[in-house]
Amino acid sequence: MSTARERILAATEELLASKDAQAISTRAICERAKVGMPEIYRQFGDKQGLLTAVAGIGFERFLANKRRNPTTDDPVADLRTAWDSHVSFALDNPHLYRLMFTPAPQAGPPAIEEARALLLAALERCRAAGRLRAPLELAGQSILTANVGVCLMALSFPGLYGDPGISRFVRDAVLGALTGDEREDTRITEGIVLAQALVGTLTGTAPAGDDAVERLTRALRRSVPSAGE
């Protein structure tokens, strides 16, 4: 028989399938889990503690997907596969993904360190093959920032940034710049501009007075073909 803690976690995950974490009430969680309101506070301290625990479960699933990614003789191709699997997870679990990658007062779940380690291991293979232009840590930070940025923009503004071609374009621009594996595409510079815009938006380092959404829109209009092209 499941424990009260397990039922609360399961109920929260079920509710996250259809609505954002902040829109889920503790009352709704308790009704679905068939527990009294005090049980959430007894098990998790408060609602944020519960959401942190659910985010940790999300990261475990995210990592399980990462571990299933194939390893081939081409480490750069493997990075592209890893990028695409990251995006697929985000699109399949939009509310859970936002919860996982939304800053919270508490430290991030320990699983984020394994995600980082998996990426650095993949980049180490690129370096060993002579296909990494940037320092290992910087390359890892750049890839993860751009990958998460693409996902959050697609989830937050699907009408503007939901085209799958955007993710592929930014992926090739970022990975190409880091590995020297640029495609023969005259739009590559615009892709790097777009990636930089994403980084600035996420980190708050965009120039003062800069409209990040408008800046991203301009970059996309210049660089990404429409679905009909």
Side-chain angles (χ1 to χ4, degrees):
M1 178 179 289
S2 61
T3 65
R5 182 182 180 88
E6 290 169 340
R7 293 200 305 276
I8 292 169
L9 288 169
T12 307
E13 289 183 81
E14 289 166 8
L15 291 168
L16 272 171
S18 60
K19 60 177 63 177
D20 188 72
Q22 299 309 316
I24 299 173
S25 69
T26 53
R27 181 180 299 278
I29 294 169
C30 290
E31 288 177 354
R32 184 173 288 256
K34 295 182 170 48
V35 299
M37 191 79 70
E39 195 65 35
I40 286 182
Y41 300 95
R42 186 158 40 245
Q43 295 289 340
F44 302 97
D46 55 18
K47 182 183 177 183
Q48 184 57 57
L50 168 58
L51 293 178
T52 298
V54 172
I57 293 172
F59 269 108
E60 290 297 340
R61 292 180 180 170
F62 176 77
L63 288 170
N65 284 344
K66 287 287 187 184
R67 296 185 200 107
R68 286 194 290 269
N69 287 337
T71 299
T72 71
D73 293 334
D74 186 340
V76 177
D78 292 348
L79 285 176
R80 293 193 194 97
T81 298
W83 176 293
D84 292 342
S85 72
H86 184 137
V87 173
S88 294
F89 181 91
L91 297 180
D92 289 343
N93 305 275
H95 302 298
L96 177 60
Y97 185 87
R98 281 200 193 92
L99 175 63
M100 289 163 55
F101 287 96
T102 297
Q106 294 88 347
I112 193 68
E113 289 302 320
E114 185 178 346
R116 173 178 169 275
L118 287 172
L119 176 56
L120 292 181
L123 287 167
E124 182 59 52
R125 292 180 59 230
C126 292
R127 183 164 66 179
R131 299 178 69 183
L132 188 63
R133 288 178 168 180
L136 196 68
E137 285 284 350
L138 177 60
Q141 291 168 342
S142 300
I143 292 170
L144 189 57
T145 299
N147 208 172
V148 173
V150 163
C151 293
L152 290 178
M153 294 302 284
L155 296 178
S156 299
F157 307 100
L160 286 173
Y161 307 115
D163 186 336
I166 295 171
S167 173
R168 291 192 296 269
F169 187 76
V170 176
R171 176 199 67 192
D172 291 345
V174 173
L175 297 185
L178 292 171
T179 67
D181 197 42
E182 292 97 343
R183 307 295 179 85
E184 289 298 322
D185 190 332
T186 57
R187 297 168 299 152
I188 196 73
T189 300
E190 295 296 348
I192 294 172
V193 169
L194 176 56
Q196 290 172 336
L198 285 166
V199 171
T201 299
L202 287 173
T203 62
T205 57
D210 185 35
D211 186 326
V213 172
E214 177 59 28
R215 185 158 52 96
L216 287 166
T217 301
R218 289 198 305 269
L220 283 169
R221 285 173 177 166
R222 290 195 299 268
S223 58
V224 180
S226 66
E229 292 183 8

